[in-house]
Amino acid sequence: MKILKKNSDFTTNIFYRFFVPTLLSSLCLALGNIADTLFVGISLGQSAVAALGFSAPIYMIYNVLDLAIAMGTSVTFTSLMAKGKSKEASAHFSQMLSVSILVSIVVATLGTIFISPILTVLGASSVGGTVYSLTHQYVQMLFLSAPLFFINLLLYFCIRCDNSEKLASIGMAVSNTVDCLLSLVLIVFFDMGVKGAMYATIIGQVTGILIFSTHFFKKGTHLKFIPKLPVLKDIGVSLKLGISSSSQYLFNFFSILAVNNMLISISGESGVAVYNVVQNIFYIFNGIFDGMGLTVQPLSATFFAERNKKAVDKVRNLSLIWVAAIALVLSVVVSIFADSICMVFGLDETIADNFGAFATRMLCLGSVFAGINVVM
């Protein structure tokens, strides 16, 4: 009995060791995501919020691809390390880093070449005028900076699985703090609009990469770059693991795309603006859910490789309890202040009090179930 209790305490301690810093870094990432919409809305109003709403599906495609690569690589790396195969783990990271860079360059190139038809599919062409112009500016810079998003996320996932959870959390927190502060400065004080939002995001991504890269100069690290020819089978295994977690964003892509185009015909740019605000509020919820998911993934992979089923069950139970409790409390708070939150994002008062507040409260109703789904 004492041995079982000791093992249980160890599992609980290691869970919180991962969960607390990961949750904080995920929330910082969420704040970085909403900073653009928040400050653009404050500075330019509802039309600019709608423009960023049209850009949201691009981020979903990024999440499908870069999260699949990063998540799959980190899980495979962790499993290999648990089996004592450190050289194989480093070699796998190296080839997946090459894959990440290659895929991001392809995305950047295709996105830049076909930006006009892409904006048509996104629905921005239907609105035209100022909203179309703002969307074009933002999306163009978003495509050009694709490699930064892919490399940043891969390094974050992998160094936290190589005994550097604190560095990973610090890097994510600092990069998103830089993004938030620069968004405020460039958008509100220098009146740079959506370009300022994108410049802030780019500088934030570069900051994260620089901080994460210091991990490679630490003694005793297993994460190293080892030149190696790609092995398609190994790449496929990692991508299969990663897609199981990132596939949710593919559904989000089609959902946002469909809803945006329907809202244009029903209520014009104001409907798209409201939907974008609701999506940004959900980023906070999703930050909690992702933080829990990022805690569960490496721990479950390690305990599963060690054939420690009780530890896997313990991690699952703790994660479900915490994600449900936090989501419930946050839902109540957001529901109470729904109209005020919408106005802070730049929605017109009438829209915020009615359509915006209603949509926000509907989001809160499903938040607990969404969190449980992410963990499971």
Side-chain angles (χ1 to χ4, degrees), residues 321-339:
I321 291 169
W322 273 106
V323 79
I326 297 174
L328 181 61
V329 172
L330 187 59
S331 295
V332 172
V333 174
V334 172
S335 294
I336 293 172
F337 299 102
D339 50 351

Side-chain angles (χ1 to χ4, degrees), residues 61-231:
I61 291 296
Y62 278 20
N63 288 341
V64 171
L65 297 174
D66 63 10
L67 187 60
I69 295 171
M71 181 73 80
T73 303
S74 65
V75 171
T76 303
F77 177 86
T78 302
S79 297
L80 290 171
M81 289 297 297
K83 295 174 183 177
K85 300 179 179 180
S86 58
K87 289 185 179 179
E88 290 87 343
S90 294
H92 184 72
F93 162 75
S94 299
Q95 67 176 339
M96 294 306 292
L97 177 60
S98 300
V99 169
S100 182
I101 293 171
L102 178 61
V103 171
S104 64
I105 290 174
V106 171
V107 169
T109 303
L110 293 177
T112 303
I113 293 173
F114 298 106
I115 189 168
S116 293
I118 288 172
L119 290 175
T120 300
V121 172
L122 293 176
S125 299
S126 302
V127 180
T130 302
V131 175
Y132 178 85
S133 177
L134 292 172
T135 307
H136 187 283
Q137 292 176 33
Y138 192 84
V139 169
Q140 185 176 46
M141 296 180 69
L142 183 58
F143 277 127
L144 290 173
S145 58
L148 297 176
F149 287 90
F150 280 68
I151 295 170
N152 188 49
L153 195 65
L154 179 63
L155 292 180
Y156 167 70
F157 269 74
C158 290
I159 68 170
R160 63 187 296 274
C161 293
D162 191 27
N163 251 353
S164 285
E165 310 96 68
K166 288 184 179 179
L167 178 63
S169 298
I170 290 171
M172 186 63 73
V174 172
S175 65
N176 284 286
T177 300
V178 168
D179 185 356
C180 290
L181 292 177
L182 283 179
S183 292
L184 173 64
V185 172
L186 297 180
I187 297 171
V188 178
F189 297 116
F190 284 86
D191 198 25
M192 294 179 68
V194 296
K195 284 188 175 180
M198 203 61 235
Y199 286 139
T201 300
I202 290 172
I203 294 172
Q205 294 293 315
V206 172
T207 302
I209 292 172
L210 292 175
I211 293 173
F212 297 148
S213 297
T214 62
H215 174 79
F216 298 102
F217 299 99
K218 292 169 60 178
K219 292 183 179 180
T221 59
H222 298 95
L223 203 65
K224 300 174 183 176
F225 184 74
I226 302 174
K228 181 184 177 183
L229 291 174
V231 179

Side-chain angles (χ1 to χ4, degrees), residues 248 282 286 289-290 292-293 323 369-376:
Q248 60 175 309
F282 180 68
N286 206 47
F289 305 156
D290 278 349
M292 187 62 72
V323 79
F369 302 102
I372 292 173
N373 279 332
V374 171
V375 172
M376 293 304 292

Side-chain angles (χ1 to χ4, degrees), residues 176-337:
N176 284 286
T177 300
V178 168
D179 185 356
C180 290
L181 292 177
L182 283 179
S183 292
L184 173 64
V185 172
L186 297 180
I187 297 171
V188 178
F189 297 116
F190 284 86
D191 198 25
M192 294 179 68
V194 296
K195 284 188 175 180
M198 203 61 235
Y199 286 139
T201 300
I202 290 172
I203 294 172
Q205 294 293 315
V206 172
T207 302
I209 292 172
L210 292 175
I211 293 173
F212 297 148
S213 297
T214 62
H215 174 79
F216 298 102
F217 299 99
K218 292 169 60 178
K219 292 183 179 180
T221 59
H222 298 95
L223 203 65
K224 300 174 183 176
F225 184 74
I226 302 174
K228 181 184 177 183
L229 291 174
V231 179
L232 294 180
K233 181 180 178 181
D234 293 343
I235 293 172
V237 169
S238 271
L239 291 180
K240 183 179 178 180
L241 288 169
I243 288 174
S244 66
S245 294
S246 70
S247 60
Q248 60 175 309
Y249 293 104
L250 184 60
F251 297 107
N252 288 349
F253 166 78
F254 287 113
S255 174
I256 295 172
L257 195 64
V259 172
N260 276 349
N261 280 279
M262 285 190 290
L263 287 173
I264 292 167
S265 61
I266 297 171
S267 52
E269 69 176 53
S270 62
V272 177
V274 168
Y275 189 53
N276 187 30
V277 169
V278 172
Q279 286 290 327
N280 275 269
I281 294 171
F282 180 68
Y283 287 149
I284 301 297
F285 287 96
N286 206 47
I288 297 168
F289 305 156
D290 278 349
M292 187 62 72
L294 295 177
T295 301
V296 171
Q297 285 279 7
L299 292 179
S300 296
T302 301
F303 292 136
F304 182 78
E306 296 172 350
R307 300 185 180 184
N308 189 345
K309 185 179 183 300
K310 290 184 178 179
V312 173
D313 291 342
K314 181 74 173 180
V315 168
R316 181 198 61 217
N317 294 338
L318 283 170
S319 62
L320 288 174
I321 291 169
W322 273 106
V323 79
I326 297 174
L328 181 61
V329 172
L330 187 59
S331 295
V332 172
V333 174
V334 172
S335 294
I336 293 172
F337 299 102

